[in-house]
Amino acid sequence: QTVVTQEPSFSVSPGGTVTLTCGLTSGSVSTTYYPTWLQQTPGQPPRTLIYNTNIRSSGVPDRFSGSILGNKAALTITGAQADDEGDYYCLLSMNPDTRMFGGGTRLTVL
Amino acid sequence: QVQLVESGGGVVQPGGSLRLSCVVSESTFSRYEMHWVRQLPGKGLEWVAFIGFDGSNKYYSGSLKGRFTISRDNSKSTVFLQMNGLRSEDTGIYYCATDVTWNFDHWGQGTLVTVSS
């Protein structure tokens, strides 16, 4: 069975830029998977940052951006801030009737 | 601001059943497709189920199909998740979320389900 892959962890310096990726164990991620990126901080529900590859959800700062890089979906954070620390999840539409989350990336800002 | 409030979680014995509810504070609830997503303790997010605008389309995670049933009552702005044959590995927080053109734009705070003898 195909699995959605993400880096388990990443670290970025305050003010720095980081790119998290979302791939598949079999095949390439494209816009037809409608990639979604979510952020979750401890004790909170998820918050959608990016949907449909590169559309920012309401209220999300423009330092968050989504794209397709090669065969993966990507979330880039430009000018990282301390409150960007948390877990980031990728969600793909595997076909019209199934969604699948990646395992998540724990981002540390230090 | 649209708000989602889940309820119905609690402690249940293995093999038991629970019915989760999610009330959406939106008079045009029928314009939202809805999802249930869960998070097992210390783990990542897992998509559980989807229901379309009028309830005619329903999709489930392959690992859960047959035990869980999603439904909705548009007159009450509520989506439900009936969970049968519960197992210890179903323990976790269950979230509902709205879906507008591929955007999971609103989430509830979640309801905790504990399956334990």
Side-chain angles (χ1 to χ4, degrees), chain A residues 37-72:
Chain A
W37 290 94
L38 305 99
Q39 177 195 56
Q40 189 179 34
T41 53
Q44 295 298 314
R47 169 199 181 197
T48 299
L49 299 174
I50 301 287
Y51 66 99
N52 198 359
T53 306
N54 56 14
I55 302 174
R56 272 186 296 278
S57 200
S58 178
V60 174
D62 60 6
R63 56 199 181 78
F64 292 92
S65 62
S67 63
I68 299 292
L69 291 180
N71 61 352
K72 296 182 178 182

PDB file of all heavy atoms in Angstrom, chain A residues 37-72:
ATOM      1  N   TRP A  37      -1.650  21.253   3.585  1.00  0.00           N
ATOM      2  CA  TRP A  37      -0.684  21.325   4.684  1.00  0.00           C
ATOM      3  C   TRP A  37      -1.373  21.863   5.931  1.00  0.00           C
ATOM      4  O   TRP A  37      -2.095  22.865   5.868  1.00  0.00           O
ATOM      5  CB  TRP A  37       0.490  22.234   4.321  1.00  0.00           C
ATOM      6  CG  TRP A  37       1.389  21.649   3.275  1.00  0.00           C
ATOM      7  CD1 TRP A  37       1.338  21.836   1.923  1.00  0.00           C
ATOM      8  CD2 TRP A  37       2.495  20.771   3.504  1.00  0.00           C
ATOM      9  NE1 TRP A  37       2.336  21.127   1.294  1.00  0.00           N
ATOM     10  CE2 TRP A  37       3.061  20.466   2.245  1.00  0.00           C
ATOM     11  CE3 TRP A  37       3.069  20.204   4.648  1.00  0.00           C
ATOM     12  CZ2 TRP A  37       4.169  19.625   2.102  1.00  0.00           C
ATOM     13  CZ3 TRP A  37       4.168  19.378   4.503  1.00  0.00           C
ATOM     14  CH2 TRP A  37       4.709  19.086   3.247  1.00  0.00           C
ATOM     15  N   LEU A  38      -1.141  21.172   7.036  1.00  0.00           N
ATOM     16  CA  LEU A  38      -1.749  21.553   8.302  1.00  0.00           C
ATOM     17  C   LEU A  38      -0.675  21.710   9.356  1.00  0.00           C
ATOM     18  O   LEU A  38       0.351  21.024   9.337  1.00  0.00           O
ATOM     19  CB  LEU A  38      -2.763  20.497   8.747  1.00  0.00           C
ATOM     20  CG  LEU A  38      -3.861  20.156   7.731  1.00  0.00           C
ATOM     21  CD1 LEU A  38      -3.503  18.880   6.982  1.00  0.00           C
ATOM     22  CD2 LEU A  38      -5.197  20.002   8.422  1.00  0.00           C
ATOM     23  N   GLN A  39      -0.937  22.596  10.305  1.00  0.00           N
ATOM     24  CA  GLN A  39      -0.055  22.817  11.438  1.00  0.00           C
ATOM     25  C   GLN A  39      -0.786  22.427  12.707  1.00  0.00           C
ATOM     26  O   GLN A  39      -1.991  22.703  12.846  1.00  0.00           O
ATOM     27  CB  GLN A  39       0.331  24.293  11.502  1.00  0.00           C
ATOM     28  CG  GLN A  39       1.192  24.694  12.688  1.00  0.00           C
ATOM     29  CD  GLN A  39       1.204  26.209  12.873  1.00  0.00           C
ATOM     30  OE1 GLN A  39       0.172  26.844  13.013  1.00  0.00           O
ATOM     31  NE2 GLN A  39       2.391  26.792  12.851  1.00  0.00           N
ATOM     32  N   GLN A  40      -0.083  21.778  13.614  1.00  0.00           N
ATOM     33  CA  GLN A  40      -0.674  21.445  14.907  1.00  0.00           C
ATOM     34  C   GLN A  40       0.320  21.753  16.011  1.00  0.00           C
ATOM     35  O   GLN A  40       1.466  21.305  15.969  1.00  0.00           O
ATOM     36  CB  GLN A  40      -1.089  19.976  14.971  1.00  0.00           C
ATOM     37  CG  GLN A  40      -1.913  19.650  16.222  1.00  0.00           C
ATOM     38  CD  GLN A  40      -2.360  18.208  16.276  1.00  0.00           C
ATOM     39  OE1 GLN A  40      -1.661  17.311  15.823  1.00  0.00           O
ATOM     40  NE2 GLN A  40      -3.544  17.979  16.835  1.00  0.00           N
ATOM     41  N   THR A  41      -0.121  22.529  16.972  1.00  0.00           N
ATOM     42  CA  THR A  41       0.689  22.809  18.153  1.00  0.00           C
ATOM     43  C   THR A  41       0.118  22.012  19.320  1.00  0.00           C
ATOM     44  O   THR A  41      -1.049  21.598  19.293  1.00  0.00           O
ATOM     45  CB  THR A  41       0.700  24.310  18.455  1.00  0.00           C
ATOM     46  OG1 THR A  41      -0.645  24.790  18.531  1.00  0.00           O
ATOM     47  CG2 THR A  41       1.433  25.063  17.357  1.00  0.00           C
ATOM     48  N   PRO A  42       0.924  21.778  20.360  1.00  0.00           N
ATOM     49  CA  PRO A  42       0.503  20.909  21.462  1.00  0.00           C
ATOM     50  C   PRO A  42      -0.838  21.303  22.071  1.00  0.00           C
ATOM     51  O   PRO A  42      -1.060  22.474  22.409  1.00  0.00           O
ATOM     52  CB  PRO A  42       1.646  21.049  22.466  1.00  0.00           C
ATOM     53  CG  PRO A  42       2.829  21.339  21.623  1.00  0.00           C
ATOM     54  CD  PRO A  42       2.321  22.225  20.525  1.00  0.00           C
ATOM     55  N   GLY A  43      -1.710  20.312  22.204  1.00  0.00           N
ATOM     56  CA  GLY A  43      -2.999  20.529  22.834  1.00  0.00           C
ATOM     57  C   GLY A  43      -4.034  21.204  21.979  1.00  0.00           C
ATOM     58  O   GLY A  43      -5.142  21.492  22.456  1.00  0.00           O
ATOM     59  N   GLN A  44      -3.689  21.470  20.728  1.00  0.00           N
ATOM     60  CA  GLN A  44      -4.604  22.182  19.835  1.00  0.00           C
ATOM     61  C   GLN A  44      -5.051  21.294  18.681  1.00  0.00           C
ATOM     62  O   GLN A  44      -4.333  20.376  18.281  1.00  0.00           O
ATOM     63  CB  GLN A  44      -3.940  23.440  19.278  1.00  0.00           C
ATOM     64  CG  GLN A  44      -3.617  24.475  20.334  1.00  0.00           C
ATOM     65  CD  GLN A  44      -4.866  24.980  21.028  1.00  0.00           C
ATOM     66  OE1 GLN A  44      -5.878  25.301  20.390  1.00  0.00           O
ATOM     67  NE2 GLN A  44      -4.822  25.041  22.341  1.00  0.00           N
ATOM     68  N   PRO A  45      -6.219  21.588  18.109  1.00  0.00           N
ATOM     69  CA  PRO A  45      -6.591  20.860  16.886  1.00  0.00           C
ATOM     70  C   PRO A  45      -5.721  21.331  15.729  1.00  0.00           C
ATOM     71  O   PRO A  45      -5.054  22.376  15.818  1.00  0.00           O
ATOM     72  CB  PRO A  45      -8.048  21.269  16.679  1.00  0.00           C
ATOM     73  CG  PRO A  45      -8.174  22.598  17.339  1.00  0.00           C
ATOM     74  CD  PRO A  45      -7.235  22.570  18.509  1.00  0.00           C
ATOM     75  N   PRO A  46      -5.735  20.576  14.650  1.00  0.00           N
ATOM     76  CA  PRO A  46      -4.978  21.025  13.474  1.00  0.00           C
ATOM     77  C   PRO A  46      -5.541  22.331  12.917  1.00  0.00           C
ATOM     78  O   PRO A  46      -6.715  22.668  13.137  1.00  0.00           O
ATOM     79  CB  PRO A  46      -5.175  19.874  12.479  1.00  0.00           C
ATOM     80  CG  PRO A  46      -5.617  18.709  13.293  1.00  0.00           C
ATOM     81  CD  PRO A  46      -6.384  19.285  14.436  1.00  0.00           C
ATOM     82  N   ARG A  47      -4.687  23.013  12.194  1.00  0.00           N
ATOM     83  CA  ARG A  47      -5.069  24.252  11.504  1.00  0.00           C
ATOM     84  C   ARG A  47      -4.591  24.132  10.059  1.00  0.00           C
ATOM     85  O   ARG A  47      -3.406  23.827   9.838  1.00  0.00           O
ATOM     86  CB  ARG A  47      -4.382  25.441  12.178  1.00  0.00           C
ATOM     87  CG  ARG A  47      -4.461  26.773  11.418  1.00  0.00           C
ATOM     88  CD  ARG A  47      -3.383  27.717  11.937  1.00  0.00           C
ATOM     89  NE  ARG A  47      -3.405  29.016  11.280  1.00  0.00           N
ATOM     90  CZ  ARG A  47      -2.398  29.892  11.316  1.00  0.00           C
ATOM     91  NH1 ARG A  47      -1.300  29.616  11.991  1.00  0.00           N
ATOM     92  NH2 ARG A  47      -2.504  31.058  10.704  1.00  0.00           N
ATOM     93  N   THR A  48      -5.466  24.353   9.125  1.00  0.00           N
ATOM     94  CA  THR A  48      -5.071  24.248   7.727  1.00  0.00           C
ATOM     95  C   THR A  48      -4.318  25.494   7.288  1.00  0.00           C
ATOM     96  O   THR A  48      -4.806  26.620   7.465  1.00  0.00           O
ATOM     97  CB  THR A  48      -6.293  24.019   6.830  1.00  0.00           C
ATOM     98  OG1 THR A  48      -6.917  22.782   7.208  1.00  0.00           O
ATOM     99  CG2 THR A  48      -5.892  23.935   5.361  1.00  0.00           C
ATOM    100  N   LEU A  49      -3.146  25.303   6.731  1.00  0.00           N
ATOM    101  CA  LEU A  49      -2.332  26.413   6.237  1.00  0.00           C
ATOM    102  C   LEU A  49      -2.495  26.601   4.725  1.00  0.00           C
ATOM    103  O   LEU A  49      -2.719  27.713   4.245  1.00  0.00           O
ATOM    104  CB  LEU A  49      -0.846  26.145   6.525  1.00  0.00           C
ATOM    105  CG  LEU A  49      -0.428  25.983   7.979  1.00  0.00           C
ATOM    106  CD1 LEU A  49       1.045  25.588   8.037  1.00  0.00           C
ATOM    107  CD2 LEU A  49      -0.680  27.251   8.755  1.00  0.00           C
ATOM    108  N   ILE A  50      -2.350  25.507   4.011  1.00  0.00           N
ATOM    109  CA  ILE A  50      -2.348  25.518   2.547  1.00  0.00           C
ATOM    110  C   ILE A  50      -3.262  24.406   2.051  1.00  0.00           C
ATOM    111  O   ILE A  50      -3.227  23.301   2.597  1.00  0.00           O
ATOM    112  CB  ILE A  50      -0.932  25.263   1.990  1.00  0.00           C
ATOM    113  CG1 ILE A  50       0.067  26.312   2.481  1.00  0.00           C
ATOM    114  CG2 ILE A  50      -0.947  25.184   0.453  1.00  0.00           C
ATOM    115  CD1 ILE A  50      -0.082  27.682   1.855  1.00  0.00           C
ATOM    116  N   TYR A  51      -4.064  24.690   1.028  1.00  0.00           N
ATOM    117  CA  TYR A  51      -4.860  23.645   0.401  1.00  0.00           C
ATOM    118  C   TYR A  51      -4.753  23.748  -1.110  1.00  0.00           C
ATOM    119  O   TYR A  51      -4.304  24.777  -1.638  1.00  0.00           O
ATOM    120  CB  TYR A  51      -6.318  23.690   0.863  1.00  0.00           C
ATOM    121  CG  TYR A  51      -7.084  24.922   0.440  1.00  0.00           C
ATOM    122  CD1 TYR A  51      -7.930  24.897  -0.664  1.00  0.00           C
ATOM    123  CD2 TYR A  51      -6.985  26.100   1.163  1.00  0.00           C
ATOM    124  CE1 TYR A  51      -8.639  26.024  -1.042  1.00  0.00           C
ATOM    125  CE2 TYR A  51      -7.675  27.231   0.795  1.00  0.00           C
ATOM    126  CZ  TYR A  51      -8.515  27.184  -0.305  1.00  0.00           C
ATOM    127  OH  TYR A  51      -9.221  28.304  -0.689  1.00  0.00           O
ATOM    128  N   ASN A  52      -5.113  22.664  -1.766  1.00  0.00           N
ATOM    129  CA  ASN A  52      -5.063  22.624  -3.223  1.00  0.00           C
ATOM    130  C   ASN A  52      -3.693  23.095  -3.738  1.00  0.00           C
ATOM    131  O   ASN A  52      -3.600  23.941  -4.626  1.00  0.00           O
ATOM    132  CB  ASN A  52      -6.192  23.464  -3.815  1.00  0.00           C
ATOM    133  CG  ASN A  52      -6.484  23.135  -5.272  1.00  0.00           C
ATOM    134  OD1 ASN A  52      -5.814  22.277  -5.856  1.00  0.00           O
ATOM    135  ND2 ASN A  52      -7.438  23.821  -5.860  1.00  0.00           N
ATOM    136  N   THR A  53      -2.661  22.534  -3.136  1.00  0.00           N
ATOM    137  CA  THR A  53      -1.257  22.739  -3.492  1.00  0.00           C
ATOM    138  C   THR A  53      -0.679  24.056  -2.981  1.00  0.00           C
ATOM    139  O   THR A  53       0.379  24.067  -2.335  1.00  0.00           O
ATOM    140  CB  THR A  53      -1.029  22.696  -5.027  1.00  0.00           C
ATOM    141  OG1 THR A  53      -1.560  21.474  -5.556  1.00  0.00           O
ATOM    142  CG2 THR A  53       0.456  22.800  -5.359  1.00  0.00           C
ATOM    143  N   ASN A  54      -1.332  25.190  -3.275  1.00  0.00           N
ATOM    144  CA  ASN A  54      -0.679  26.471  -3.018  1.00  0.00           C
ATOM    145  C   ASN A  54      -1.612  27.604  -2.604  1.00  0.00           C
ATOM    146  O   ASN A  54      -1.221  28.777  -2.652  1.00  0.00           O
ATOM    147  CB  ASN A  54       0.104  26.908  -4.262  1.00  0.00           C
ATOM    148  CG  ASN A  54      -0.783  26.989  -5.498  1.00  0.00           C
ATOM    149  OD1 ASN A  54      -2.011  26.973  -5.414  1.00  0.00           O
ATOM    150  ND2 ASN A  54      -0.164  27.084  -6.663  1.00  0.00           N
ATOM    151  N   ILE A  55      -2.819  27.279  -2.170  1.00  0.00           N
ATOM    152  CA  ILE A  55      -3.765  28.313  -1.765  1.00  0.00           C
ATOM    153  C   ILE A  55      -3.723  28.442  -0.241  1.00  0.00           C
ATOM    154  O   ILE A  55      -3.952  27.464   0.479  1.00  0.00           O
ATOM    155  CB  ILE A  55      -5.197  27.988  -2.231  1.00  0.00           C
ATOM    156  CG1 ILE A  55      -5.233  27.823  -3.755  1.00  0.00           C
ATOM    157  CG2 ILE A  55      -6.151  29.085  -1.777  1.00  0.00           C
ATOM    158  CD1 ILE A  55      -6.571  27.372  -4.282  1.00  0.00           C
ATOM    159  N   ARG A  56      -3.424  29.639   0.227  1.00  0.00           N
ATOM    160  CA  ARG A  56      -3.387  29.855   1.665  1.00  0.00           C
ATOM    161  C   ARG A  56      -4.788  29.939   2.246  1.00  0.00           C
ATOM    162  O   ARG A  56      -5.677  30.616   1.685  1.00  0.00           O
ATOM    163  CB  ARG A  56      -2.625  31.150   2.001  1.00  0.00           C
ATOM    164  CG  ARG A  56      -1.131  30.961   2.163  1.00  0.00           C
ATOM    165  CD  ARG A  56      -0.476  32.256   2.626  1.00  0.00           C
ATOM    166  NE  ARG A  56      -0.612  33.310   1.632  1.00  0.00           N
ATOM    167  CZ  ARG A  56       0.179  33.448   0.586  1.00  0.00           C
ATOM    168  NH1 ARG A  56       1.179  32.603   0.399  1.00  0.00           N
ATOM    169  NH2 ARG A  56      -0.029  34.416  -0.284  1.00  0.00           N
ATOM    170  N   SER A  57      -4.979  29.252   3.349  1.00  0.00           N
ATOM    171  CA  SER A  57      -6.254  29.313   4.045  1.00  0.00           C
ATOM    172  C   SER A  57      -6.411  30.703   4.666  1.00  0.00           C
ATOM    173  O   SER A  57      -5.433  31.430   4.852  1.00  0.00           O
ATOM    174  CB  SER A  57      -6.306  28.223   5.112  1.00  0.00           C
ATOM    175  OG  SER A  57      -7.627  27.950   5.496  1.00  0.00           O
ATOM    176  N   SER A  58      -7.643  31.072   4.956  1.00  0.00           N
ATOM    177  CA  SER A  58      -7.929  32.400   5.475  1.00  0.00           C
ATOM    178  C   SER A  58      -7.113  32.703   6.734  1.00  0.00           C
ATOM    179  O   SER A  58      -7.042  31.881   7.660  1.00  0.00           O
ATOM    180  CB  SER A  58      -9.421  32.510   5.805  1.00  0.00           C
ATOM    181  OG  SER A  58      -9.730  33.767   6.346  1.00  0.00           O
ATOM    182  N   GLY A  59      -6.477  33.867   6.747  1.00  0.00           N
ATOM    183  CA  GLY A  59      -5.730  34.300   7.916  1.00  0.00           C
ATOM    184  C   GLY A  59      -4.310  33.778   8.012  1.00  0.00           C
ATOM    185  O   GLY A  59      -3.595  34.124   8.959  1.00  0.00           O
ATOM    186  N   VAL A  60      -3.891  32.964   7.077  1.00  0.00           N
ATOM    187  CA  VAL A  60      -2.531  32.406   7.119  1.00  0.00           C
ATOM    188  C   VAL A  60      -1.545  33.409   6.517  1.00  0.00           C
ATOM    189  O   VAL A  60      -1.769  33.913   5.414  1.00  0.00           O
ATOM    190  CB  VAL A  60      -2.472  31.071   6.347  1.00  0.00           C
ATOM    191  CG1 VAL A  60      -1.036  30.550   6.262  1.00  0.00           C
ATOM    192  CG2 VAL A  60      -3.377  30.044   7.013  1.00  0.00           C
ATOM    193  N   PRO A  61      -0.466  33.706   7.249  1.00  0.00           N
ATOM    194  CA  PRO A  61       0.506  34.686   6.740  1.00  0.00           C
ATOM    195  C   PRO A  61       1.146  34.236   5.430  1.00  0.00           C
ATOM    196  O   PRO A  61       1.304  33.040   5.188  1.00  0.00           O
ATOM    197  CB  PRO A  61       1.556  34.746   7.847  1.00  0.00           C
ATOM    198  CG  PRO A  61       0.936  34.136   9.046  1.00  0.00           C
ATOM    199  CD  PRO A  61      -0.106  33.195   8.575  1.00  0.00           C
ATOM    200  N   ASP A  62       1.554  35.216   4.621  1.00  0.00           N
ATOM    201  CA  ASP A  62       2.108  34.881   3.308  1.00  0.00           C
ATOM    202  C   ASP A  62       3.534  34.342   3.382  1.00  0.00           C
ATOM    203  O   ASP A  62       4.125  34.025   2.344  1.00  0.00           O
ATOM    204  CB  ASP A  62       2.025  36.072   2.351  1.00  0.00           C
ATOM    205  CG  ASP A  62       2.782  37.289   2.843  1.00  0.00           C
ATOM    206  OD1 ASP A  62       3.481  37.182   3.878  1.00  0.00           O
ATOM    207  OD2 ASP A  62       2.667  38.356   2.216  1.00  0.00           O
ATOM    208  N   ARG A  63       4.071  34.200   4.573  1.00  0.00           N
ATOM    209  CA  ARG A  63       5.382  33.541   4.672  1.00  0.00           C
ATOM    210  C   ARG A  63       5.260  32.025   4.568  1.00  0.00           C
ATOM    211  O   ARG A  63       6.265  31.320   4.494  1.00  0.00           O
ATOM    212  CB  ARG A  63       6.089  33.960   5.968  1.00  0.00           C
ATOM    213  CG  ARG A  63       5.301  33.714   7.221  1.00  0.00           C
ATOM    214  CD  ARG A  63       5.869  34.584   8.368  1.00  0.00           C
ATOM    215  NE  ARG A  63       5.137  34.337   9.599  1.00  0.00           N
ATOM    216  CZ  ARG A  63       5.318  33.291  10.360  1.00  0.00           C
ATOM    217  NH1 ARG A  63       6.249  32.417  10.026  1.00  0.00           N
ATOM    218  NH2 ARG A  63       4.610  33.099  11.446  1.00  0.00           N
ATOM    219  N   PHE A  64       4.021  31.544   4.564  1.00  0.00           N
ATOM    220  CA  PHE A  64       3.770  30.130   4.295  1.00  0.00           C
ATOM    221  C   PHE A  64       3.368  29.993   2.825  1.00  0.00           C
ATOM    222  O   PHE A  64       2.454  30.681   2.360  1.00  0.00           O
ATOM    223  CB  PHE A  64       2.641  29.579   5.166  1.00  0.00           C
ATOM    224  CG  PHE A  64       2.973  29.491   6.618  1.00  0.00           C
ATOM    225  CD1 PHE A  64       2.677  30.535   7.486  1.00  0.00           C
ATOM    226  CD2 PHE A  64       3.582  28.353   7.146  1.00  0.00           C
ATOM    227  CE1 PHE A  64       2.976  30.467   8.830  1.00  0.00           C
ATOM    228  CE2 PHE A  64       3.890  28.269   8.493  1.00  0.00           C
ATOM    229  CZ  PHE A  64       3.579  29.328   9.338  1.00  0.00           C
ATOM    230  N   SER A  65       4.041  29.121   2.114  1.00  0.00           N
ATOM    231  CA  SER A  65       3.682  28.914   0.715  1.00  0.00           C
ATOM    232  C   SER A  65       3.794  27.444   0.360  1.00  0.00           C
ATOM    233  O   SER A  65       4.604  26.717   0.934  1.00  0.00           O
ATOM    234  CB  SER A  65       4.571  29.753  -0.211  1.00  0.00           C
ATOM    235  OG  SER A  65       5.921  29.365  -0.086  1.00  0.00           O
ATOM    236  N   GLY A  66       2.967  27.025  -0.594  1.00  0.00           N
ATOM    237  CA  GLY A  66       2.963  25.638  -1.035  1.00  0.00           C
ATOM    238  C   GLY A  66       3.311  25.532  -2.503  1.00  0.00           C
ATOM    239  O   GLY A  66       3.071  26.459  -3.283  1.00  0.00           O
ATOM    240  N   SER A  67       3.860  24.394  -2.868  1.00  0.00           N
ATOM    241  CA  SER A  67       4.252  24.183  -4.254  1.00  0.00           C
ATOM    242  C   SER A  67       4.450  22.699  -4.516  1.00  0.00           C
ATOM    243  O   SER A  67       4.320  21.868  -3.610  1.00  0.00           O
ATOM    244  CB  SER A  67       5.559  24.927  -4.557  1.00  0.00           C
ATOM    245  OG  SER A  67       6.631  24.404  -3.765  1.00  0.00           O
ATOM    246  N   ILE A  68       4.758  22.394  -5.769  1.00  0.00           N
ATOM    247  CA  ILE A  68       5.229  21.058  -6.150  1.00  0.00           C
ATOM    248  C   ILE A  68       6.701  21.222  -6.513  1.00  0.00           C
ATOM    249  O   ILE A  68       7.048  22.037  -7.381  1.00  0.00           O
ATOM    250  CB  ILE A  68       4.448  20.478  -7.341  1.00  0.00           C
ATOM    251  CG1 ILE A  68       2.961  20.322  -7.001  1.00  0.00           C
ATOM    252  CG2 ILE A  68       5.068  19.146  -7.773  1.00  0.00           C
ATOM    253  CD1 ILE A  68       2.656  19.263  -5.965  1.00  0.00           C
ATOM    254  N   LEU A  69       7.552  20.460  -5.855  1.00  0.00           N
ATOM    255  CA  LEU A  69       8.984  20.471  -6.146  1.00  0.00           C
ATOM    256  C   LEU A  69       9.387  19.075  -6.597  1.00  0.00           C
ATOM    257  O   LEU A  69       9.410  18.134  -5.792  1.00  0.00           O
ATOM    258  CB  LEU A  69       9.793  20.884  -4.912  1.00  0.00           C
ATOM    259  CG  LEU A  69       9.672  22.334  -4.448  1.00  0.00           C
ATOM    260  CD1 LEU A  69      10.542  22.556  -3.208  1.00  0.00           C
ATOM    261  CD2 LEU A  69      10.083  23.286  -5.558  1.00  0.00           C
ATOM    262  N   GLY A  70       9.685  18.955  -7.866  1.00  0.00           N
ATOM    263  CA  GLY A  70      10.012  17.631  -8.390  1.00  0.00           C
ATOM    264  C   GLY A  70       8.809  16.709  -8.276  1.00  0.00           C
ATOM    265  O   GLY A  70       7.733  17.004  -8.810  1.00  0.00           O
ATOM    266  N   ASN A  71       8.991  15.625  -7.548  1.00  0.00           N
ATOM    267  CA  ASN A  71       7.897  14.659  -7.423  1.00  0.00           C
ATOM    268  C   ASN A  71       7.226  14.715  -6.063  1.00  0.00           C
ATOM    269  O   ASN A  71       6.579  13.750  -5.633  1.00  0.00           O
ATOM    270  CB  ASN A  71       8.427  13.246  -7.686  1.00  0.00           C
ATOM    271  CG  ASN A  71       9.500  12.839  -6.676  1.00  0.00           C
ATOM    272  OD1 ASN A  71       9.956  13.655  -5.880  1.00  0.00           O
ATOM    273  ND2 ASN A  71       9.886  11.575  -6.714  1.00  0.00           N
ATOM    274  N   LYS A  72       7.368  15.870  -5.369  1.00  0.00           N
ATOM    275  CA  LYS A  72       6.785  16.000  -4.042  1.00  0.00           C
ATOM    276  C   LYS A  72       6.035  17.328  -3.903  1.00  0.00           C
ATOM    277  O   LYS A  72       6.334  18.293  -4.606  1.00  0.00           O
ATOM    278  CB  LYS A  72       7.885  15.944  -2.975  1.00  0.00           C
ATOM    279  CG  LYS A  72       8.626  14.618  -2.901  1.00  0.00           C
ATOM    280  CD  LYS A  72       9.657  14.638  -1.775  1.00  0.00           C
ATOM    281  CE  LYS A  72      10.379  13.303  -1.659  1.00  0.00           C
ATOM    282  NZ  LYS A  72      11.345  13.295  -0.532  1.00  0.00           N
TER     283      LYS A  72
END
